């Protein structure tokens, strides 16, 4: 089947195999979104119902001809497939269609490469690209022999190992990957040290996770502008897939003087390349170490249930297990006949643009991460005024009274603070 889309600056054809799965249409729609995110425009779609890809050409013979006709009709200069292809499938399709063929994995890697800003993200993407490239090195007939000389009786004796250009390229890429992994490991060690320091300070960590473009960065920026130590230190946000690839961490100080860290992590997408998932485990380490996960869902997207399945599968793949989670159904303002904000257990329906929604979100977070707070009575001798000052600065003080033996305070403390001020706690 061939479907006309719209004219574009750089027209591409989308191609996919329908294996009779429930989410095929969604997969193809997402592929179109990924293409647009990479500054290309889909002008036509070629699909075929087939249980498994043709080993040599992905499509069956007749459909390959239809793909060629679509390329010529729409004057496309590229075909993007919904599946990861083998090197031979790519070569054969390129020979048949006369245009470049890229698969879903290469497309996602290309998007990530264009969006990576920090050294960590660039390293992660480069490693994933090289791992993708390694099995796709093309065999070359350009053979370099170290030394081969004639021997007795017309035979010859090889005095060198002899090495093809292909083997040299493969070894070079493997060496590159090793160097990049070493540099990345050093950065990860520094990040782990910072997280250990935060753990020692016993400050809670809340991580925003979920599908790309669900509104994670919008929520973070709204909360940073409200409660951030530096209210101008917002993160980049845009209505696009993978607007940000870096994990950003901001400290939020609530009016009752309780504080927590909020992390904005890279977004997920279905069929995220395995190499990229592995490379980005460091970026998602904040989620793995969080006290609470906020799964942000684009409630206005008709495919939001499939997006949630992708998020949960990706979390499982990176080893994020039994961390408490609140599901935040965002963008309710774009939905018809949806009342918000609304909370049912650990499920919230909100709009990140709505102040009341943010109130509900913060209160839900508070109830989760500060459930271990304890109300204590503190008695501080008059000659230790610095302790009173610390409590006023760091804890929630409910009441202050002056008695004969000192300053008596009713305060709400974290477990760490209970230990810190244990000498002043009275029954």
């Amino acid at each position: 089947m061939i479907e006309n889309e719209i004219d574009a600056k750089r027209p591409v054809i989308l191609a996919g195999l329908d294996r009779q799965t429930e989410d095929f249409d969604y997969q193809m729609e997402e592929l179109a979104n990924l293409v647009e995110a990479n500054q290309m425009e889909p002008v036509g779609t070629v699909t075929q119902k087939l249980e498994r890809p043709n080993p040599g050409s992905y499509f069956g013979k007749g459909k390959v001809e239809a793909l060629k006709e679509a390329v010529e009709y729409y004057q496309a200069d590229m075909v993007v497939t919904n599946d990861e292809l083998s090197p031979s499938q790519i070569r054969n399709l390129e020979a048949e269609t006369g245009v470049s063929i890229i698969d879903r994995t290469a497309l996602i890697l290309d998007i990530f490469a264009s969006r990576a800003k920090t050294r960590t993200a660039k390293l992660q993407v480069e490693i994933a690209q090289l791992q993708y490239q390694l099995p796709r090195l093309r065999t070359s007939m350009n053979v370099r022999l170290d030394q081969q000389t004639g021997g007795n009786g017309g035979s010859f004796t090889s005095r060198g190992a002899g090495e093809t250009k292909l083997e040299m390229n493969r070894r070079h890429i493997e060496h590159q990957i090793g160097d990049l992994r070493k540099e990345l490991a050093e950065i990860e060690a520094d990040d782990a040290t910072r997280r250990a320091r935060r753990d020692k300070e016993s400050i809670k960590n809340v991580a925003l996770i979920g599908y790309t473009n669900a509104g994670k960065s919008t929520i973070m920026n709204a909360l940073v502008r409200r409660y951030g130590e530096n209210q101008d230190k917002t993160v980049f946000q845009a209505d696009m897939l993978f607007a940000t690839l870096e994990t950003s961490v901001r400290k939020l100080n609530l009016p009752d003087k309780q504080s927590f860290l909020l992390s904005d992590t890279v977004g997920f997408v279905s069929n995220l390349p395995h190499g990229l998932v592995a490379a980005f485990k460091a970026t998602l380490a904040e989620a793995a170490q969080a006290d609470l996960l906020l799964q942000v869902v684009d409630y206005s997207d008709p495919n939001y249930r499939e997006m949630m399945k992708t998020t949960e599968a990706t979390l499982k793949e990176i080893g994020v297990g039994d961390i408490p989670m609140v599901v935040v159904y965002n963008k309710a303002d774009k939905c018809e006949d949806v009342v918000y904000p609304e909370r049912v257990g650990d499920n919230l329906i909100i709009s990140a643009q709505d102040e009341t929604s943010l109130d509900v979100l913060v209160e839900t977070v508070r109830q989760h991460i500060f459930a271990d707070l304890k109300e204590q009575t503190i008695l501080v001798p008059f000659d230790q005024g610095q302790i009173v000052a610390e409590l006023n600065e760091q804890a929630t003080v409910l009441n202050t009274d002056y008695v004969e033996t000192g300053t008596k305070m009713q305060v709400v403390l974290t477990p760490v603070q209970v230990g810190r001020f244990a000498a002043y706690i009275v029954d």
Side-chain angles (χ1 to χ4, degrees), residues 18-72:
D18 182 357
R19 299 180 179 85
Q20 304 297 299
T21 57
E22 294 181 359
D23 62 348
F24 176 71
D25 290 339
Y26 160 63
Q27 291 280 339
M28 294 302 296
E29 180 183 338
E30 185 177 77
L31 184 65
N33 292 334
L34 289 168
V35 164
E36 291 170 354
N38 206 33
Q39 307 305 313
M40 300 182 291
E41 194 68 43
V43 294
T45 301
V46 176
T47 63
Q48 182 178 21
K49 292 183 178 180
L50 206 62
E51 287 186 4
R52 61 182 63 86
N54 184 299
S57 57
Y58 184 58
F59 284 131
K61 184 176 180 181
K63 193 59 68 170
V64 171
E65 187 62 31
L67 180 62
K68 180 180 179 180
E69 292 174 1
V71 167
E72 294 173 351

